[in-house]
Amino acid sequence: MAELETSKLSEAFSMNGGDGPNSYAKNSTLQRGVVDATKELLSKAIAENLDIETLLSSKTFHIADLGCSVGPNTFFSVENLLEAVEFKYQSQGLNSQILEFQVFFNDHTPNDFNMLFKSLAENRRYYAAGVPGSFYGRLFPNASIQMVHSSYATHWLSRVPKEVADRNTPAWNKGRIYYSNSTDEVVMAYEAQYAEDMEYFLHVRAQEIVHGGLMLLIIIGRPNGTPHSDSRANITFQILGSCLMDLARKGTVSEEKVDSFNVPMYCMSPQEVEAAVERNGCFSIESIENLPAVKPPDNVSKTQLFASHMRAAGEGLVKHHFGEEILDELFDLYQKKLEEQPSAVESGKSISFLVVLKRKA
Amino acid sequence: MAELETSKLSEAFSMNGGDGPNSYAKNSTLQRGVVDATKELLSKAIAENLDIETLLSSKTFHIADLGCSVGPNTFFSVENLLEAVEFKYQSQGLNSQILEFQVFFNDHTPNDFNMLFKSLAENRRYYAAGVPGSFYGRLFPNASIQMVHSSYATHWLSRVPKEVADRNTPAWNKGRIYYSNSTDEVVMAYEAQYAEDMEYFLHVRAQEIVHGGLMLLIIIGRPNGTPHSDSRANITFQILGSCLMDLARKGTVSEEKVDSFNVPMYCMSPQEVEAAVERNGCFSIESIENLPAVKPPDNVSKTQLFASHMRAAGEGLVKHHFGEEILDELFDLYQKKLEEQPSAVESGKSISFLVVLKRKA
């Protein structure tokens, strides 16, 4: 037997593990809001698009959550999916007693699967498995998955575009950590990386998902027609970059170190996703819909929320490159900058959208 | 949908994680010997007993390794199984290109799955998933597994029999940590726990394994007709118990603490397994065969090997009950006792045997 088509991914990043004050588990309130806001949209998408033939193709309904992190949001999402599938099953007069669920929780190998497993509810009504590895590679056997779900994960690229960190190319990203406020060459390098990653993502998923199976992607991105520099998510990374340059000026880190640091994230628009799906050709686009904006809880300021979330999501990247010592100083400075210029962030444009794809027969 | 039939298991023990000097990963040489010695037997068992209909029942061949620990032995075993299945496949003139493997690595939830996942070979030719949970409960959907493998794991009971740790019952195991040198009541309590556990183990596996699917169990036990007190594995635990009582006499630990500590392990005989399989009724016994004795490597004494292995396998249990402080003193004393009375251990009777079961149609 040939070796599996393995992942292209050489660099793996994961959210903060454990359950400490800066952990992703304790700082994913925004995403939890998304889970709740999405519930209705997901239920509708499943009710309208899940075919009976797909439901009946196997006694076990296999769901994969890609980029699951450590919980708890992945568990809430999965419960919502199960409920919607069962509802569809029952609404067709089928006896749900005979339907069993197996859920595959996927994330990069360095993800804290130990914590994920400990957090699994004891009385869950599905069989759980953890699947380590990049979703930019094959994770599952051919035609073995009825439903793929991924929330707030596909904006991570498989890697930083190589030329961006190479001082001998025109795309060298000196003095910045991100593409959105950079030169055309850097922007183009990121766009090309995104296109390649998304092409590969769709290619491997098309092999894994059964005909008629659904892929539900919740993506944070920018509205159609928005320049990269006006995207809110991008602005927050630009600010983090300026904080790092401040630390370089203070001598806390070297400027060279900042030059060689780049965030492997890309803020896509719905149109870009559509184009990629059409190029791939294996999926039909059932719907693309914006999610309702999520309000932060009353007792937390937007700035605090942005800051704590950036730390939970980005700390791993920063630590990996700069070491642990700079974390507190950097993220304190980051929160201060956000507070000084709240309008910079708030004027940025941001959308989260749900893409519903069906694997063509 | 009803909740899953959940595990009976309330107490979970796992091997030492990580890859430090006392880790299970670094101290499972004896088991590695077993892996090698077993390879031929497993290949033969698969060649003789794997039905073509089972092979063809699914495009994916699903293997579960129960009690996988953190590697590397589980990876060697899985490679051996894959090779044997592929050989059978090819020998039937089938094109192995279309056969894909998905391997489920199972162990208790506290097992170090992070380390297991990091140790997975990049160029493996199977899809890997981790499944946390006791194998004394349901782990997989109905009829979803073609082959179950478990090596050196089923001798662990789901728990210490309750009455053994209860000073108000005749089965209270005062001054001992194990059953084999204890009163009839304690022995009977362990025997009953084993019978219940094995009954449940077979009951849940019968639901998970496809008709014609194989279960390959490698078990450390005692030869038919051997009293519990003459079993070598049991003797080693008796010695560990006497070390703990020595520490109690020295005042390092309280005697009460020793009284309430018991090892949830049972050394079964092939006849006991046969009887359990027949009671269950869902499996045919294809073969039960003793494994060849494994010689320790030349540069390591038997005593060292026994001592380091006892520490890697038993440290978690001891630490959980007594705390970390006593570990070095206890296991040093243990090795000393083994060296003083090598004949006590060597006169003990021990066998490892392979049980090959087939799920009846």
Side-chain angles (χ1 to χ4, degrees):
Chain A
M1 187 168 127
E3 273 176 16
L4 297 184
E5 199 173 334
T6 51
S7 156
K8 299 180 310 158
L9 189 88
S10 50
E11 300 165 43
F13 307 100
S14 53
M15 303 297 102
N16 268 357
D19 55 2
N22 295 320
S23 65
Y24 181 79
K26 287 264 169 75
N27 290 283
S28 41
T29 324
L30 271 179
Q31 283 83 340
R32 174 63 205 267
V34 172
V35 172
D36 294 339
T38 317
K39 184 173 176 177
E40 214 175 311
L41 281 180
L42 282 177
S43 303
K44 191 166 70 91
I46 291 170
E48 287 173 3
N49 297 300
L50 182 59
D51 301 333
I52 292 307
E53 302 78 59
T54 309
L55 266 174
L56 296 176
S57 66
S58 164
K59 276 182 303 181
T60 305
F61 195 90
H62 303 89
I63 296 176
D65 187 40
L66 308 183
C68 63
S69 187
V70 296
N73 286 335
T74 183
F75 304 127
F76 301 137
S77 299
V78 160
E79 282 297 334
N80 291 346
L81 297 175
L82 254 68
E83 213 175 274
V85 173
E86 279 180 345
F87 185 78
K88 175 83 183 197
Y89 200 75
Q90 283 158 358
S91 72
Q92 302 293 320
L94 301 166
N95 179 358
S96 74
Q97 289 299 329
I98 59 160
L99 187 65
E100 290 188 308
F101 291 94
Q102 189 170 34
V103 178
F104 296 99
F105 294 95
N106 156 260
D107 212 316
H108 285 308
T109 305
N111 183 53
D112 191 349
F113 282 95
N114 288 347
M115 163 138 180
L116 178 81
F117 288 168
K118 277 168 202 155
S119 312
L120 277 166
E122 290 240 343
N123 63 349
R124 65 186 184 273
R125 49 193 181 156
Y126 54 87
Y127 297 101
V131 173
S134 163
F135 51 59
Y136 294 116
R138 279 292 297 273
L139 298 166
F140 306 104
N142 283 324
S144 65
I145 302 289
Q146 275 77 27
M147 185 175 286
V148 162
H149 172 264
S150 182
S151 179
Y152 273 47
T154 46
H155 57 284
W156 292 107
L157 297 171
S158 71
R159 64 171 184 210
V160 172
K162 276 206 179 97
E163 55 273 46
V164 161
D166 179 353
R167 61 165 65 231
N168 299 316
T169 72
W172 184 38
N173 199 19
K174 182 172 170 48
R176 300 191 193 84
I177 67 165
Y178 202 50
Y179 68 100
S180 55
N181 55 342
S182 192
T183 62
D184 286 353
E185 285 84 357
V186 173
V187 173
M188 279 164 61
Y190 267 82
E191 284 175 343
Q193 186 67 52
Y194 160 72
E196 187 189 318
D197 283 348
M198 188 51 99
E199 185 184 336
Y200 206 75
F201 179 84
L202 293 167
H203 172 69
V204 290
R205 292 297 90 73
Q207 295 170 38
E208 296 167 349
I209 300 177
V210 299
H211 290 170
L214 297 182
M215 178 139 71
L216 308 160
L217 304 176
I218 294 162
I219 297 171
I220 185 163
R222 59 188 217 286
N224 289 334
T226 308
H228 289 297
S229 53
D230 290 353
S231 149
R232 187 189 297 159
N234 289 348
I235 293 169
T236 60
F237 275 105
Q238 289 167 209
I239 296 174
L240 188 71
S242 78
C243 294
L244 279 163
M245 283 306 283
D246 288 350
L247 295 193
R249 262 172 239 116
K250 276 181 63 186
T252 311
V253 298
S254 76
E255 210 178 311
E256 226 177 345
K257 204 90 183 143
V258 180
D259 290 344
S260 60
F261 179 65
N262 291 283
V263 176
M265 199 189 107
Y266 184 81
C267 224
M268 67 193 93
S269 70
Q271 268 170 0
E272 285 175 296
V273 180
E274 269 178 75
V277 174
E278 273 156 25
R279 265 197 307 277
N280 168 271
C282 294
F283 294 92
S284 59
I285 300 175
E286 301 299 323
S287 66
I288 297 188
E289 211 165 337
N290 287 359
L291 304 191
V294 176
K295 267 189 150 180
D298 286 340
N299 55 343
V300 185
S301 80
K302 261 191 183 172
T303 318
Q304 276 174 325
L305 213 58
F306 282 136
S308 63
H309 181 249
M310 170 63 92
R311 176 152 194 174
E315 183 179 288
L317 279 173
V318 174
K319 191 161 115 186
H320 183 257
H321 191 83
F322 294 96
E324 192 152 13
E325 317 77 62
I326 74 155
L327 295 178
D328 284 339
E329 188 177 353
L330 174 66
F331 287 102
D332 287 350
L333 182 59
Y334 178 74
Q335 183 167 353
K336 225 176 100 199
K337 283 218 181 189
L338 284 191
E339 278 161 7
E340 281 166 14
Q341 45 181 333
S343 64
V345 177
E346 280 170 27
S347 69
K349 288 182 185 163
S350 173
I351 50 163
S352 293
F353 54 100
L354 169 65
V355 181
V356 180
L357 305 179
K358 188 186 284 189
R359 178 72 171 91
K360 291 181 189 169
Chain B
M1 187 171 126
E3 272 176 18
L4 298 183
E5 202 172 330
T6 49
S7 157
K8 301 180 311 164
L9 188 87
S10 50
E11 299 165 43
F13 306 100
S14 53
M15 303 298 100
N16 268 359
D19 55 2
N22 295 318
S23 66
Y24 181 79
K26 287 266 169 76
N27 289 282
S28 40
T29 323
L30 271 178
Q31 284 84 341
R32 173 64 205 266
V34 171
V35 172
D36 294 338
T38 317
K39 183 173 175 176
E40 212 176 312
L41 282 180
L42 282 177
S43 303
K44 191 166 69 91
I46 290 170
E48 287 172 4
N49 297 299
L50 182 59
D51 301 334
I52 292 305
E53 301 79 58
T54 308
L55 266 175
L56 296 177
S57 66
S58 164
K59 275 182 304 181
T60 306
F61 195 90
H62 303 88
I63 297 176
D65 186 41
L66 307 182
C68 62
S69 189
V70 295
N73 286 334
T74 183
F75 304 127
F76 302 136
S77 299
V78 160
E79 282 297 335
N80 291 346
L81 297 175
L82 254 69
E83 213 176 274
V85 173
E86 278 180 345
F87 185 79
K88 174 82 184 198
Y89 200 75
Q90 284 158 356
S91 72
Q92 301 294 320
L94 302 166
N95 179 0
S96 73
Q97 289 298 330
I98 61 161
L99 188 64
E100 290 188 309
F101 291 94
Q102 189 171 34
V103 178
F104 296 99
F105 294 95
N106 156 261
D107 211 316
H108 287 307
T109 304
N111 184 53
D112 192 348
F113 282 95
N114 288 347
M115 161 135 181
L116 178 81
F117 287 167
K118 277 168 203 154
S119 312
L120 277 166
E122 289 239 344
N123 63 349
R124 65 186 183 273
R125 50 191 181 160
Y126 54 86
Y127 297 99
V131 173
S134 164
F135 52 58
Y136 294 116
R138 279 292 296 273
L139 297 166
F140 306 104
N142 284 324
S144 65
I145 302 288
Q146 275 78 27
M147 185 176 284
V148 162
H149 172 265
S150 181
S151 179
Y152 273 46
T154 46
H155 57 283
W156 291 106
L157 297 171
S158 70
R159 63 168 186 216
V160 173
K162 277 209 177 94
E163 55 272 45
V164 162
D166 180 353
R167 61 165 65 232
N168 299 316
T169 71
W172 184 39
N173 199 19
K174 182 172 169 46
R176 298 190 195 83
I177 68 164
Y178 202 50
Y179 68 99
S180 54
N181 56 344
S182 192
T183 62
D184 288 352
E185 285 83 358
V186 173
V187 173
M188 280 164 60
Y190 267 82
E191 285 174 343
Q193 185 67 52
Y194 160 73
E196 188 190 316
D197 283 347
M198 188 51 99
E199 185 184 336
Y200 205 75
F201 179 84
L202 294 167
H203 172 69
V204 290
R205 292 296 91 73
Q207 296 170 38
E208 296 167 350
I209 300 175
V210 299
H211 290 170
L214 297 182
M215 178 140 70
L216 308 161
L217 304 175
I218 295 162
I219 298 170
I220 184 162
R222 58 189 218 285
N224 289 333
T226 309
H228 289 295
S229 53
D230 291 353
S231 149
R232 187 190 297 160
N234 289 348
I235 292 169
T236 61
F237 275 106
Q238 288 164 208
I239 296 173
L240 188 71
S242 77
C243 295
L244 278 163
M245 283 305 284
D246 288 351
L247 295 193
R249 263 172 237 116
K250 276 181 62 184
T252 311
V253 297
S254 77
E255 210 177 311
E256 228 176 344
K257 204 88 184 145
V258 181
D259 290 345
S260 60
F261 178 65
N262 291 282
V263 176
M265 199 191 108
Y266 184 81
C267 224
M268 66 193 93
S269 69
Q271 268 171 1
E272 284 174 296
V273 180
E274 269 177 77
V277 173
E278 273 156 25
R279 265 197 308 277
N280 167 271
C282 294
F283 294 93
S284 58
I285 301 174
E286 301 299 322
S287 66
I288 298 188
E289 210 164 336
N290 288 358
L291 305 191
V294 176
K295 267 188 152 182
D298 287 341
N299 56 343
V300 184
S301 79
K302 261 192 185 171
T303 317
Q304 276 174 325
L305 212 58
F306 281 136
S308 63
H309 182 248
M310 170 64 92
R311 177 153 193 176
E315 184 178 287
L317 279 173
V318 172
K319 191 161 115 183
H320 183 255
H321 191 84
F322 293 96
E324 192 152 11
E325 317 79 61
I326 75 157
L327 293 177
D328 284 340
E329 188 177 355
L330 175 66
F331 287 102
D332 287 350
L333 182 60
Y334 178 75
Q335 182 165 354
K336 224 177 102 199
K337 282 219 182 190
L338 283 191
E339 278 161 7
E340 281 167 13
Q341 45 180 334
S343 63
V345 177
E346 281 171 27
S347 69
K349 288 181 186 162
S350 174
I351 50 164
S352 294
F353 53 100
L354 168 66
V355 182
V356 179
L357 305 178
K358 186 185 287 188
R359 178 71 172 93
K360 291 181 189 168

